[in-house]
Amino acid sequence: MRNLVYYVAVSLDGYIAGPQGEFDFYPMCDDMTAWSNQEYPETVPTHLRAHFGMAVDAPNKSFDTVLMGRGTYEPGLAVGASSPYNHLKQFVFSSTLAPVDNPQVEIVDTDPVGLVRDLKSQPGLDIWLCGGGNLAGQLIDEIDRLIIKSYPVVAGAGIPAFSANFKPARFQVTRRQEFSTGAQTSWFDRA
Ligand SMILES: NC(=O)c1ccc[n+]([C@@H]2O[C@H](COP(=O)([O-])OP(=O)(O)OC[C@H]3O[C@@H](n4cnc5c(N)ncnc54)[C@H](OP(=O)(O)O)[C@@H]3O)[C@@H](O)[C@H]2O)c1
């Protein structure tokens, strides 16, 4: 069965963005970026692939579907990217956005757990939970794997990786990789 994988960049104190959506405070880590572009090419937005020296049609390796909340989708939309991951089937959760005229993008106002269970029952590659914290908080119980790109910085405040009630869920580390700046990628499977 397909896994739901939350692949996300976080600060040491668990924030995926600053209070106003800032992301430029994460210390750049060129070797991690190069590694991640190579290992998870489908997580590079379609319109940025050329910038990273990637083929626009680089094949998907791990994911063929991505889930985003409106807060995650909107920054791309603001720069004209209405289908930021055109190489993936994109589900954008929103009760306010209008439909997008692209079969790769579905604006959905539905129960995320029900949608994920339905997707898991279908054949395919794994499902990437892109974020943000609001959507991830609703999907904690459905997440099979966390891939955490941890940057050596404390934000102090911001948007948490999960907005949810206190309900500890245990995961076990299965792999860890360290990069030149001290940034780490860690893989955790549900314990
Ligand atoms: N560091 C990283 O790797 C990373 C990854 C992803 C995102 N981010 C950042 O995270 C921030 C966004 O996170 P966030 O937690 O504020 O927001 P979010 O989870 O991306 O989006 C929240 C919005 O999604 C819609 N939504 C959520 N659940 C829904 C449901 N069940 N049904 C219908 N609509 C639903 C609502 O929009 P409506 O009001 O339209 O209903 C809600 O306001 C951005 O700054 C983004 O850049 C960082």
Side-chain angles (χ1 to χ4, degrees):
M1 194 153 93
R2 308 161 86 185
N3 292 310
L4 180 66
V5 181
Y6 191 20
Y7 174 83
V8 68
V10 297
S11 65
L12 293 176
D13 47 348
Y15 293 111
I16 60 171
Q20 306 302 324
E22 300 91 333
F23 52 83
D24 55 359
F25 64 92
Y26 295 101
M28 285 300 292
C29 184
D30 291 342
D31 54 341
M32 183 154 84
T33 303
W35 164 85
S36 121
N37 290 354
Q38 169 73 28
E39 186 147 336
Y40 295 100
E42 58 272 53
T43 63
V44 180
T46 314
H47 59 287
L48 295 180
R49 290 179 147 199
H51 169 77
F52 286 111
M54 296 170 60
V56 173
D57 59 354
N60 300 330
K61 289 186 174 175
S62 301
F63 309 119
D64 59 15
T65 303
V66 60
L67 311 182
M68 292 174 268
R70 173 176 59 82
T72 297
Y73 176 71
E74 268 191 332
L77 193 60
V79 296
S82 60
S83 180
Y85 301 101
N86 203 50
H87 47 281
L88 301 174
K89 175 72 184 180
Q90 301 153 86
F91 291 96
V92 179
F93 288 84
S94 175
S95 59
T96 57
L97 285 175
V100 172
D101 187 18
N102 182 325
Q104 286 295 82
V105 183
E106 254 185 73
I107 309 291
V108 288
D109 180 8
T110 185
D111 169 32
V113 170
L115 178 71
V116 164
R117 289 185 180 163
D118 188 40
L119 290 172
K120 282 182 175 179
S121 73
Q122 299 168 22
L125 297 177
D126 283 347
I127 304 153
W128 174 29
L129 172 57
C130 179
N134 176 319
L135 183 60
Q138 299 172 62
L139 284 170
I140 288 179
D141 291 343
E142 288 300 318
I143 293 174
D144 303 292
R145 181 169 300 144
L146 300 167
I147 305 178
I148 304 291
K149 292 188 286 180
S150 172
Y151 286 89
V153 61
V154 172
I159 297 172
F162 292 94
S163 300
N165 295 324
F166 180 68
K167 186 187 166 201
R170 298 196 60 169
F171 286 80
Q172 59 194 13
V173 70
T174 59
R175 182 180 165 196
R176 185 162 277 149
Q177 194 156 335
E178 186 160 341
F179 299 91
S180 58
T181 61
Q184 288 184 331
T185 300
S186 302
W187 289 253
F188 299 90
D189 283 352
R190 187 171 283 280

